[in-house]
Amino acid sequence: MNEQLIDNLVDQVVAKINEERSFLVEASGRHVHLSQEHINALFGEGYQLTINNYLSQPGQYASKERVTLLGPKGTLHNVVILGPARAASQVEISGTDALALGIKVPVKESGDIEGTPGIVLVNGHKTVTLEKGLIIAKRHVHVSTNDAKKMNVTQGEIVKVRINSEQRSLIFDDVVIRVSDKFATAMHIDYDEANACSFKKGIRGHIVK
Amino acid sequence: MNEQLIDNLVDQVVAKINEERSFLVEASGRHVHLSQEHINALFGEGYQLTINNYLSQPGQYASKERVTLLGPKGTLHNVVILGPARAASQVEISGTDALALGIKVPVKESGDIEGTPGIVLVNGHKTVTLEKGLIIAKRHVHVSTNDAKKMNVTQGEIVKVRINSEQRSLIFDDVVIRVSDKFATAMHIDYDEANACSFKKGIRGHIVK
């Protein structure tokens, strides 16, 4: 084989490996997870959320139900509720949203809601006051147990992820790896982060060491 | 000198050099630059903008005057006009703003407005329809001619800039260097980018090679 052919093959192998190690990036809009208790309070006793469309994470769906978030300085209408019901209610918004609501909101991993601010949820005449659970989600990659081995990452690891776009390429640091055999491999960022990297649907991320 | 002392000195020198090479990062909210012609159309013939406060760039100021941006899907009220008047009008918004207005807006360097969308500006009963000039500003570092030598960067160069924060450190790629002896050295990002790196006032950036 001549040198050029070898170079060519090496390039193809590298491209293939990079492709295999890359993952879909998804931009998450503001959304609410509710406990069954809070679903009852907002929609009536024993109410079941209506599935609108399934999300990339197996079993997770956007419901048809919407709520309003009521802050001291502003309100956010028509906020989607994700199902199924969870043990604890949690509201995930962006930094831009936090400013609109007038609440200082910390960046936290999903589920880590101790000490976080609360928020008032409204559906028509029904309201629920959450004592805690309002967070800006820390950016993260859901990784299936199988892919974690291939990608050589472990649960809780902090990695850097490169995003290439036309005018706003960047490397996100402080990205948490979350591994579960219930996950489909995909990175989740919020709309602020999506705008900061000129996100378009289908964009992929690559871990950089 | 013993080894520990040398290590200590090296650490101090490196810290000093890094500090010297770092620069202030500022988050720019949505704003409007106007030509004198458009100031006349919106505020009256020969109108002069009123200085509210000076900005980090010498001679540049936020005026007391405000306008409304009118898009097909939404409006943005109370948008600050920066002075002094420029040769061409230009409106700089974030990706979040573009979505609110309902206009597809490209990421462009300031001044590079050929082929960009227009927007309607409103002040009371007076309106101006810009045919072009609506952009999402490409992130950039203003560098004084003196600092450019120290920092070893040149006009138009694209660099990577590291931002350290508590939960959202990142490395912005696609950062344009703009050099002028009229500039004070400072990086400008928009609010989406600010939220993506948990921006706080006084945060500093470092060029990474």
Side-chain angles (χ1 to χ4, degrees):
Chain A
M1 290 199 287
N2 64 28
E3 240 176 85
Q4 209 187 332
L5 189 61
I6 292 171
D7 280 356
N8 222 314
L9 272 170
V10 168
D11 284 352
Q12 279 182 47
V13 170
V14 169
K16 186 78 192 293
I17 289 171
N18 280 338
E19 179 60 26
E20 276 178 2
R21 286 193 182 158
S22 80
F23 39 80
L24 186 68
V25 180
E26 297 178 306
S28 301
R30 65 183 77 110
H31 63 268
V32 174
H33 301 282
L34 291 178
S35 65
Q36 188 58 49
E37 180 198 344
H38 291 146
I39 293 173
N40 295 349
L42 285 167
F43 297 95
E45 202 56 33
Y47 190 88
Q48 295 296 310
L49 296 174
T50 324
I51 296 168
N52 188 68
N53 60 285
Y54 280 99
L55 304 173
S56 67
Q57 295 310 307
Q60 301 293 305
Y61 58 86
S63 77
K64 290 194 195 296
E65 285 74 15
R66 300 287 189 276
V67 285
T68 295
L69 310 185
L70 195 62
K73 285 200 182 165
T75 51
L76 296 169
H77 296 281
N78 208 32
V79 180
V80 66
I81 302 170
L82 303 190
R86 287 198 178 180
S89 294
Q90 177 173 297
V91 177
E92 300 179 35
I93 63 172
S94 67
T96 298
D97 293 339
L99 206 66
L101 291 172
I103 307 177
K104 203 169 145 48
V105 183
V107 175
K108 287 278 189 181
E109 278 191 63
S110 181
D112 179 18
I113 60 170
E114 271 317 304
T116 60
I119 180 81
V120 179
L121 308 178
V122 185
N123 174 43
H125 296 290
K126 293 176 171 158
T127 69
V128 160
T129 301
L130 300 184
E131 296 301 325
K132 59 184 177 186
L134 181 62
I135 64 168
I136 297 172
K138 192 171 169 91
R139 48 191 172 235
H140 54 277
V141 191
H142 294 271
V143 186
S144 70
T145 308
N146 264 345
D147 285 350
K149 283 173 209 148
K150 283 188 210 161
M151 289 161 62
N152 194 26
V153 293
T154 56
Q155 163 66 25
E157 191 179 344
I158 300 290
V159 299
K160 291 187 186 73
V161 174
R162 177 161 189 93
I163 312 278
N164 291 325
S165 69
E166 212 181 312
Q167 292 282 342
R168 286 190 158 184
S169 296
L170 55 68
I171 299 163
F172 285 122
D173 198 349
D174 273 333
V175 181
V176 187
I177 295 289
R178 293 168 57 192
V179 180
S180 165
D181 49 17
K182 287 173 190 156
F183 286 160
T185 300
M187 179 172 184
H188 285 172
I189 58 178
D190 70 19
Y191 276 24
D192 288 333
E193 295 169 322
N195 285 325
C197 67
S198 281
F199 172 86
K200 282 179 185 159
K201 254 194 175 172
I203 217 169
R204 295 182 76 82
H206 304 254
I207 290 174
V208 289
K209 296 277 178 180
Chain B
M1 289 201 288
N2 67 28
E3 241 175 83
Q4 209 186 333
L5 190 61
I6 292 171
D7 280 356
N8 222 314
L9 272 171
V10 168
D11 284 352
Q12 279 185 48
V13 170
V14 168
K16 185 77 191 291
I17 289 172
N18 280 337
E19 180 59 26
E20 276 179 3
R21 286 195 183 157
S22 80
F23 38 81
L24 186 67
V25 180
E26 297 179 305
S28 301
R30 65 183 79 109
H31 64 268
V32 174
H33 300 282
L34 291 178
S35 64
Q36 187 58 49
E37 179 199 344
H38 290 146
I39 293 174
N40 295 348
L42 284 167
F43 296 96
E45 201 57 32
Y47 190 89
Q48 296 295 311
L49 296 173
T50 324
I51 297 167
N52 189 67
N53 60 285
Y54 280 100
L55 305 173
S56 68
Q57 295 309 308
Q60 302 291 306
Y61 58 86
S63 77
K64 290 193 194 297
E65 285 74 14
R66 299 287 188 275
V67 286
T68 295
L69 310 185
L70 197 63
K73 285 198 182 165
T75 51
L76 297 170
H77 296 282
N78 209 31
V79 180
V80 67
I81 301 171
L82 302 190
R86 287 198 178 181
S89 293
Q90 176 173 297
V91 177
E92 300 178 36
I93 62 172
S94 70
T96 298
D97 293 338
L99 206 68
L101 291 172
I103 307 177
K104 203 170 144 50
V105 182
V107 176
K108 288 278 189 181
E109 280 190 62
S110 180
D112 180 19
I113 61 171
E114 272 315 307
T116 59
I119 180 80
V120 178
L121 307 180
V122 185
N123 173 42
H125 296 291
K126 293 175 171 160
T127 68
V128 159
T129 302
L130 300 184
E131 296 301 325
K132 60 184 176 186
L134 181 62
I135 64 169
I136 297 171
K138 192 172 169 89
R139 48 191 170 236
H140 55 276
V141 190
H142 294 272
V143 186
S144 70
T145 309
N146 263 345
D147 285 350
K149 284 173 208 149
K150 284 189 210 161
M151 290 160 64
N152 195 25
V153 292
T154 56
Q155 163 66 26
E157 190 178 345
I158 300 289
V159 299
K160 291 188 186 71
V161 174
R162 178 160 188 93
I163 312 277
N164 291 325
S165 69
E166 210 181 314
Q167 292 282 343
R168 287 191 156 184
S169 296
L170 55 67
I171 298 163
F172 285 122
D173 198 349
D174 273 334
V175 182
V176 188
I177 295 290
R178 293 168 57 191
V179 180
S180 165
D181 49 17
K182 287 173 190 154
F183 286 159
T185 300
M187 179 171 184
H188 286 172
I189 58 178
D190 69 20
Y191 276 23
D192 288 333
E193 295 168 324
N195 285 325
C197 67
S198 281
F199 172 86
K200 281 180 187 158
K201 253 192 175 175
I203 216 167
R204 297 182 74 82
H206 304 253
I207 290 175
V208 290
K209 295 278 180 179

